[in-house]
């Protein structure tokens, strides 16, 4: 009788000739593309998720704009806050998407494949970052249509958007932990909003407020986009420090949770 020895682990046969880092990047790109393709199959969700920030912009500009005094045109004061609010709400999809994949058993199937363990989380957060880039471009078009104007220059305006997107990427890693902790996607969404709402609406996104991380990011973006009396280099450095610090803390927490549940 012939005995066939089965390998205890799957071996990857298409590993790049370079280092394992190249393998991990390739797997991350594959998962990112998979998540972006999934968005195209739910156009209703994409439509309503982009409709919400448009409604917020129009509501605050045309309903509350005349009642709130900020020292500059309210639409110029408002738009940096709208950017931060939009990407923060968009980061919720990280929690929902990971919870869905976990409950459908998809993450277990990924773990059975010869792929980098980091690809699932990195691919999900990268896909949501790409989605936020699209939403930021859309909101920019709406903002310019209702009167928003850059008070500095286009280069600094782009730097402000990059800080906003960096903050959204940081939030994605934090929400990944919540998504992996939730029993289902609906609960994941409910778990995120009690954390998100106080930071967004009790910040300088819409009215003058201080002493919290969202305010630092909004003030940094506002300084780079509007300039003038609102120029604040310290806010830019503070926002970058907050993003770096939160990412250093939140990413390992998400990885640790992923290793436990998957």
């Amino acid at each position: 009788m012939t005995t066939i020895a089965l390998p205890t682990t799957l071996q990857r046969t298409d590993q790049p000739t370079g280092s394992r880092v190249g393998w991990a990047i390739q797997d991350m790109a594959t998962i990112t593309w998979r998540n972006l393709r999934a968005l195209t199959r739910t156009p209703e969700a994409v439509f309503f998720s982009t409709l919400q920030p448009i409604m917020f912009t129009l509501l605050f500009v045309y309903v509350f704009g005349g009642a709130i005094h900020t020292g500059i045109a309210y639409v110029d004061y408002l738009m940096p806050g709208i950017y931060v609010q939009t990407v923060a709400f968009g980061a919720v999809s990280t929690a929902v998407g990971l919870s869905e994949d976990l409950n459908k058993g998809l993450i277990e199937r990924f773990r059975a494949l010869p792929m980098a363990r980091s690809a699932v989380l990195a691919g999900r957060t990268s896909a949501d970052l790409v989605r936020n880039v699209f939403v930021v471009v859309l909101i920019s078009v709406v903002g310019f249509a209702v009167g928003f104007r850059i008070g500095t220059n286009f280069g600094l305006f782009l730097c402000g958007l990059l800080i906003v997107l960096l903050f959204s990427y940081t939030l994605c890693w934090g929400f990944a932990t919540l998504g992996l902790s939730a029993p289902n996607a609906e609960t994941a969404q409910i778990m995120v909003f009690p954390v998100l709402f106080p930071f967004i609406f009790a910040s300088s996104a819409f009215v003058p407020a201080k002493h919290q991380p969202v305010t630092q990011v909004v003030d940094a973006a506002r300084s780079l986009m509007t300039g003038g009396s609102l120029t604040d280099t310290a806010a830019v450095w503070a926002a970058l420090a907050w993003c770096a610090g939160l990412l250093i803390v939140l990413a390992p927490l998400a990885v640790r949770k992923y290793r436990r549940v998957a």
Side-chain angles (χ1 to χ4, degrees), residues 1 7 11 15 19 45 58 63 66 94 115 142 159 167 178 213 228 245 252:
M1 180 177 179
Q11 299 295 321
Q15 183 173 349
S19 65
L58 298 178
V63 177
T94 301
M115 62 184 292
V142 175
C159 289
F167 182 63
L178 294 179

Side-chain angles (χ1 to χ4, degrees), residues 36-172:
L36 291 174
R37 286 289 301 271
L39 287 175
T40 64
R41 298 176 182 176
T42 55
E44 297 85 2
V46 176
F47 172 76
F48 285 106
S49 64
T50 54
L51 181 63
Q52 176 181 296
I54 295 174
M55 293 178 62
F56 268 108
T57 303
L58 298 178
L59 177 67
F60 276 90
V61 169
Y62 292 113
V63 177
F64 301 122
I68 301 176
H69 302 285
T70 59
I72 61 174
Y74 184 66
V75 65
D76 294 337
Y77 184 89
L78 171 71
M79 285 307 299
I82 289 292
Y83 284 126
V84 175
Q85 180 214 40
T86 299
V87 300
F89 285 162
V92 176
S93 60
T94 301
V96 175
L98 283 174
S99 183
E100 287 181 345
D101 289 345
L102 182 62
N103 283 275
K104 291 178 180 178
L106 187 60
I107 290 181
E108 291 183 1
R109 295 177 64 185
F110 284 149
R111 285 176 63 88
L113 295 174
M115 62 184 292
R117 293 288 183 88
S118 60
V120 174
L121 290 180
R124 167 57 63 178
T125 54
S126 297
D128 291 332
L129 176 62
V130 173
R131 176 188 170 279
N132 272 330
V133 170
F134 165 76
V135 175
V136 162
V137 172
L138 177 62
I139 294 303
S140 296
V141 174
V142 175
F144 287 120
V146 298
F148 173 63
R149 295 296 180 265
I150 300 172
T152 53
N153 57 62
F154 189 69
L156 290 178
F157 172 73
L158 290 180
C159 289
L161 292 183
L162 288 176
I163 290 179
V164 171
L165 291 171
L166 175 61
F167 182 63
S168 76
Y169 187 68
T170 300
L171 290 181
C172 286

Side-chain angles (χ1 to χ4, degrees), residues 24-42:
I25 293 175
Q26 184 184 51
D27 290 339
M28 182 196 73
T30 301
I31 298 298
T32 300
W33 179 246
R34 173 256 174 190
N35 291 328
L36 291 174
R37 286 289 301 271
L39 287 175
T40 64
R41 298 176 182 176
T42 55

Side-chain angles (χ1 to χ4, degrees), residues 216 219-224 227-238:
Q216 297 294 340
D219 288 350
R222 187 172 286 137
S223 175
L224 293 168
S229 61
L230 295 177
T231 301
D232 187 358
T233 305
V236 175
W237 289 111

Side-chain angles (χ1 to χ4, degrees), residues 160-237:
L161 292 183
L162 288 176
I163 290 179
V164 171
L165 291 171
L166 175 61
F167 182 63
S168 76
Y169 187 68
T170 300
L171 290 181
C172 286
W173 283 97
F175 293 160
T177 304
L178 294 179
L180 294 172
S181 303
N184 52 59
E186 291 78 9
T187 305
Q189 187 170 15
I190 294 172
M191 290 170 63
V192 167
F193 281 111
V195 177
L196 192 58
F197 266 62
F199 283 100
I200 294 297
F201 290 103
S203 74
S204 63
F206 305 108
V207 295
K210 297 181 179 181
H211 308 304
Q212 61 119 317
V214 174
T215 288
Q216 297 294 340
V217 176
V218 173
D219 288 350
R222 187 172 286 137
S223 175
L224 293 168
M225 294 178 185
T226 62
S229 61
L230 295 177
T231 301
D232 187 358
T233 305
V236 175
W237 289 111

